[in-house]
């Protein structure tokens, strides 16, 4: 059998087959008329840009959808594309900002046809294909943050291990030290296993938070109060809540309310099914006067960026002098398991 039979050419495909292929590949199409300075979008590309399909639209209607931070670079690329002395094909990746505030990432490829009969080479028409790559970009961003989190948590884990060792050394005899130290390390190992196992099943919300308290001795644990309903949460949310709680707890013990005997922390869970709203609140009281850090360290990426990217959450961080506060708000449907 010949190669041509195995690999049909575009000419051998019917219009219907081409349309099915584009639908399967989730490729949106559009055309440009440079004489009238208008464009038309097919239904899928219109969905990407939140614009009407099958209508003549001003070119700048689409340009206004490009994220303001990306537009200068895209404008420069388009100007090069419309130069008849340059390449007539453009491949660009950028963000779209819809009127509702939603951000999408797309890859757009465009080819321009020029009228070269007069020698000037004026652009006449163009066709472009658009693919929504938002999920891929977000996955890459999550992977980068999670890899950094792995190193960050390892450093924090070493700090906790040293703290446990020093505490036991001060308060236990040499005979008891090895046994107690081994038990504390076992608790730490269980905590790490619980986080990793989140990919295999649902977790009880309160248990996720309590697991983060396991490695810490006596008073610090007793001064963290959890209020609100508990319910099964999906694995992705379990991972994020565990990471956020771990970061908040570590900071509170190092610098915040749990660094002094009189300080305390209240964790409040608010779950509203009717409004489809989930809130996680962390409030510290009785600690040293809070000082806002000079810059954003890796902990801020975990508390803010990871929560936003993974849970599409709104995050509020308040360095109030009388006590640090953190609030994470997202749709309850992104957090709660169907089993709950």
């Amino acid at each position: 059998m010949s190669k041509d039979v195995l690999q049909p050419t575009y000419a051998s495909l019917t219009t219907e087959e081409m349309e099915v292929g584009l639908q399967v590949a989730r490729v949106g199409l559009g055309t440009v008329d440079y004489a009238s300075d208008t464009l038309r979008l097919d239904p899928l590309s219109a969905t990407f840009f939140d614009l009407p399909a099958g209508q003549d639209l001003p070119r700048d209607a689409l340009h206004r959808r490009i994220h303001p931070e990306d537009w200068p670079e895209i404008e420069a690329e388009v100007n090069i594309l419309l130069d008849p002395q340059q390449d007539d094909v453009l491949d660009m990746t950028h963000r779209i900002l819809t009127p509702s505030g939603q951000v999408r990432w797309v890859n757009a490829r465009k080819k321009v046809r020029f009228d070269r009969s007069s020698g000037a080479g004026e652009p006449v028409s163009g066709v472009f294909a658009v693919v929504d790559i938002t999920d891929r970009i977000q996955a890459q961003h999550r992977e980068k943050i999670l890899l950094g989190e792995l190193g960050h948590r390892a450093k924090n884990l070493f700090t906790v291990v040293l703290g446990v060792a020093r505490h036991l050394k001060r308060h236990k005899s040499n005979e008891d030290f090895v046994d107690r130290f081994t038990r504390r390390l076992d608790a730490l190992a269980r905590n790490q296993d619980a986080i990793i196992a989140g990919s295999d099943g649902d977790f009880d919300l309160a248990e996720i938070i309590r697991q983060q308290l396991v490695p810490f001795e006596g008073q610090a644990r007793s001064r963290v109060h959890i209020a609100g309903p508990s319910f099964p949460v999906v694995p992705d949310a379990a991972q994020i809540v565990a990471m956020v709680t771990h970061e908040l707890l570590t900071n509170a013990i190092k610098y915040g309310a749990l660094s002094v005997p009189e300080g305390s922390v209240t964790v409040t869970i608010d779950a509203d099914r009717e409004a489809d709203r989930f809130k996680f609140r962390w409030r510290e009281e009785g600690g040293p006067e809070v000082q806002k850090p000079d810059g954003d360290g890796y902990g801020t990426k975990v508390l803010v960026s990871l929560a936003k990217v993974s849970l599409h959450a709104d995050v509020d961080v308040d360095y109030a002098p009388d006590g640090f506060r953190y609030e994470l708000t997202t749709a309850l449907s992104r957090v709660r398991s169907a089993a709950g």
Side-chain angles (χ1 to χ4, degrees):
M1 187 176 290
S2 70
K3 183 177 180 181
D4 289 340
V5 173
L6 291 172
Q7 297 182 347
T9 64
Y10 289 131
S12 69
L13 298 175
T14 66
T15 300
E16 182 180 359
E17 289 170 336
M18 293 281 285
E19 289 179 352
V20 170
L22 291 170
Q23 290 173 5
V24 170
R26 296 286 296 168
V27 177
L29 297 178
T31 59
V32 184
D33 184 334
Y34 289 103
S36 62
D37 203 31
T38 60
L39 56 81
R40 277 183 172 243
L41 302 174
D42 77 343
L44 183 56
S45 61
T47 300
F48 294 160
F49 289 95
D50 195 13
L51 288 169
Q55 300 180 20
D56 288 334
L57 303 171
R59 283 176 60 218
D60 65 356
L62 186 144
H63 294 166
R64 288 195 296 269
R65 291 291 193 263
I66 297 176
H67 197 288
E69 294 178 5
D70 296 347
W71 172 242
E73 181 180 354
I74 299 304
E75 183 180 30
E77 292 289 337
V78 170
N79 289 336
I80 293 173
L81 177 67
L82 298 181
D83 183 345
Q85 306 304 318
Q86 305 290 333
D87 290 339
D88 59 358
V89 176
L90 178 64
D91 186 339
M92 52 191 174
T93 297
H94 62 81
R95 289 169 291 177
I96 295 171
L97 183 61
T98 67
S100 64
Q102 182 182 12
V103 176
R104 293 193 186 102
W105 281 89
V106 297
N107 176 249
R109 298 184 178 187
K110 185 176 183 180
K111 182 176 178 62
V112 174
R113 183 174 67 84
F114 293 92
D115 178 6
R116 302 185 186 276
S117 60
S118 63
E122 292 294 326
V124 176
S125 62
V127 61
F128 57 87
V130 187
V131 178
D132 188 336
I133 59 170
T134 304
D135 290 345
R136 185 198 314 167
I137 295 294
Q138 289 182 342
Q140 291 172 351
H141 188 48
R142 281 195 298 269
E143 182 180 358
K144 183 177 180 180
I145 292 177
L146 290 171
L147 286 174
E149 166 66 9
L150 178 61
H152 185 63
R153 285 183 68 89
K155 292 178 182 177
N156 281 340
L157 187 60
F158 292 146
T159 301
V160 171
V161 170
L162 289 173
V164 169
R166 288 169 181 156
H167 177 88
L168 293 177
K169 188 65 176 176
R170 287 196 304 268
H171 297 89
K172 302 298 175 184
S173 66
N174 290 337
E175 291 77 14
D176 294 335
F177 175 83
V178 173
D179 180 59
R180 293 296 298 272
F181 186 57
T182 300
R183 277 189 281 165
R184 289 301 174 195
L185 290 184
D186 286 342
L188 279 171
R190 286 196 303 272
N191 189 37
Q192 297 301 306
D193 288 342
I195 294 172
I196 295 171
S199 59
D200 297 327
D202 297 328
F203 274 86
D204 180 82
L205 182 62
E207 183 62 23
I208 294 167
I209 298 171
R210 284 194 293 267
Q211 279 287 342
Q212 301 305 309
L213 302 174
V214 169
F216 300 96
E217 278 285 346
Q219 288 191 356
R221 293 174 60 183
S222 65
R223 289 186 281 121
V224 178
H225 312 289
I226 305 172
S230 188
F231 47 83
V233 296
V234 297
D236 286 348
Q239 292 277 4
I240 303 307
V241 171
M243 292 177 185
V244 166
T245 303
H246 177 87
E247 186 63 35
L248 291 168
L249 183 61
T250 301
N251 291 341
I253 290 174
K254 287 182 178 179
Y255 323 109
L258 299 183
S259 67
V260 295
E262 59 273 18
S264 65
V265 171
T266 300
V267 180
T268 305
I269 303 300
D270 177 17
D272 188 330
R273 275 184 178 271
E274 186 173 341
D276 191 26
R277 185 181 64 245
F278 170 81
K279 284 185 180 290
F280 171 96
R281 297 187 183 96
W282 176 282
R283 177 165 184 167
E284 300 184 19
E285 297 179 289
E289 182 175 346
V290 176
Q291 301 291 330
K292 185 176 181 179
D294 294 334
D296 292 338
Y298 189 81
T300 302
K301 291 184 179 180
V302 173
L303 295 177
V304 179
S305 299
L306 186 60
K308 286 184 175 181
V309 170
S310 298
L311 296 180
H312 300 274
D314 292 324
V315 176
D316 182 34
V317 180
D318 184 5
Y319 295 93
D322 61 338
F324 174 80
R325 297 176 181 86
Y326 174 88
E327 183 173 293
L328 181 157
T329 306
T330 189
L332 181 60
S333 54
R334 294 187 183 278
V335 176
R336 191 173 194 129
S337 165

